[in-house]
Amino acid sequence: DVKVTQSSRYLVKRTGEKVFLECVQDMDHENMFWYRQDPGLGLRLIYFSYDVKMKEKGDIPEGYSVSREKKERFSLILESASTNQTSMYLCASSFRPYRQHNQPQHFGDGTRLSIL
Amino acid sequence: GQNIDQPTEMTATEGAIVQINCTYQTSGFNGLFWYQQHAGEAPTFLSYNVLDGLEEKGRFSSFLSRSKGYSYLLLKELQMKDSASYLCAVRDLSEAAGNKLTFGGGTRVLVKP
């Protein structure tokens, strides 16, 4: 079974702090994704990566950065946390479609982040 | 860009059938996914459609019409454990290499005894 592991289920940080959210997958997936999920807004893509050291902006990258130094690990960084970044953060991974067209994304359990 | 619409909430009775519709607008379509998400848990993959027609997996079926920009997820013989949110997601042709998806807002299904 695919395993996508996020480092924390719950996290509380203060405004202005630099926050790191970690995600690790064990299936040798090329693609990794960071989303945030808010009531009424659904899942919104922040950043994704299709290879080591590669990153692409999603729909809402402002205030975030990412790091992909190893294939299995994708980190989301809040440079200076603000209260409007309080949300559920979900990491996902998948193979690239050329390997198998119907490849779904597999999700971690999420990190509920509160910025005070 | 893409626009994906699905109803916010639906209620149904245990043992009944519920159909969750999803309409989308995209510049280049390359597949549609349905996910189930229980409260406080990760989304889990249910089904995938890329060609027109019906895909059946046990009690769950998903239908696609590319010409209409329309899909539905059919849940039969509803059970209490089917109470969850159901997410429709579309992969755009231009994003195929990255397997990037755009998600709808999700439909919360409440199954009553």
Side-chain angles (χ1 to χ4, degrees):
Chain A
D1 275 355
V2 176
K3 187 70 175 173
V4 180
T5 304
Q6 295 184 228
S7 52
S8 306
R9 287 301 304 272
Y10 301 94
L11 206 53
V12 180
K13 296 291 182 179
R14 296 205 173 275
T15 303
E17 279 193 73
K18 191 168 186 176
V19 181
F20 294 85
L21 301 183
E22 305 288 345
C23 176
V24 177
Q25 50 92 6
D26 66 357
M27 281 301 294
D28 201 34
H29 285 162
E30 295 91 356
N31 297 333
M32 295 190 75
F33 307 83
W34 274 107
Y35 296 89
R36 62 179 285 177
Q37 188 173 31
D38 301 287
L41 296 176
L43 275 164
R44 293 180 291 166
L45 182 65
I46 304 170
Y47 267 97
F48 67 103
S49 168
Y50 54 88
D51 205 347
V52 176
K53 296 193 185 295
M54 305 300 291
K55 60 183 179 183
E56 294 284 341
K57 291 180 180 178
D59 300 317
I60 51 164
E62 295 79 20
Y64 302 94
S65 62
V66 289
S67 173
R68 184 110 182 255
E69 295 297 317
K70 293 185 178 181
K71 191 175 185 179
E72 67 271 19
R73 186 179 296 269
F74 192 36
S75 302
L76 179 70
I77 304 154
L78 284 66
E79 298 291 343
S80 177
S82 63
T83 55
N84 63 11
Q85 293 178 308
T86 291
S87 186
M88 170 69 87
Y89 289 87
L90 287 159
C91 174
S93 70
S94 76
F95 287 120
R96 295 182 73 173
Y98 73 85
R99 291 179 67 166
Q100 192 171 342
H101 193 263
N102 62 349
Q103 277 299 302
Q105 292 182 15
H106 300 270
F107 286 83
D109 287 335
T111 296
R112 188 164 291 281
L113 175 64
S114 296
I115 307 296
L116 304 179
Chain B
Q2 301 191 53
N3 190 33
I4 302 171
D5 289 313
Q6 48 182 133
T8 305
E9 196 167 292
M10 302 180 75
T11 302
T13 305
E14 193 174 14
I17 298 173
V18 70
Q19 177 175 314
I20 305 168
N21 295 325
C22 173
T23 57
Y24 63 87
Q25 295 169 325
T26 180
S27 52
F29 176 83
N30 194 33
L32 186 144
F33 295 80
W34 283 97
Y35 283 82
Q36 180 190 59
Q37 186 179 24
H38 286 100
E41 297 183 11
T44 56
F45 169 68
L46 286 178
S47 69
Y48 171 74
N49 296 73
V50 68
L51 300 176
D52 291 350
L54 191 67
E55 294 283 341
E56 296 188 81
K57 273 189 183 181
R59 295 189 298 113
F60 292 4
S61 304
S62 57
F63 171 83
L64 176 68
S65 168
R66 288 172 296 171
S67 62
K68 294 181 179 178
Y70 168 69
S71 173
Y72 67 72
L73 180 70
L74 196 69
L75 285 61
K76 294 179 273 189
E77 300 168 21
L78 278 171
Q79 301 175 10
M80 298 300 290
K81 67 178 182 179
D82 297 330
S83 291
S85 289
Y86 292 85
L87 313 179
C88 172
V90 172
R91 183 168 61 200
D92 190 280
L93 188 64
S94 62
E95 306 293 348
N99 206 19
K100 179 186 167 193
L101 302 178
T102 301
F103 284 82
T107 299
R108 189 176 166 196
V109 172
L110 178 62
V111 180
K112 293 185 173 179

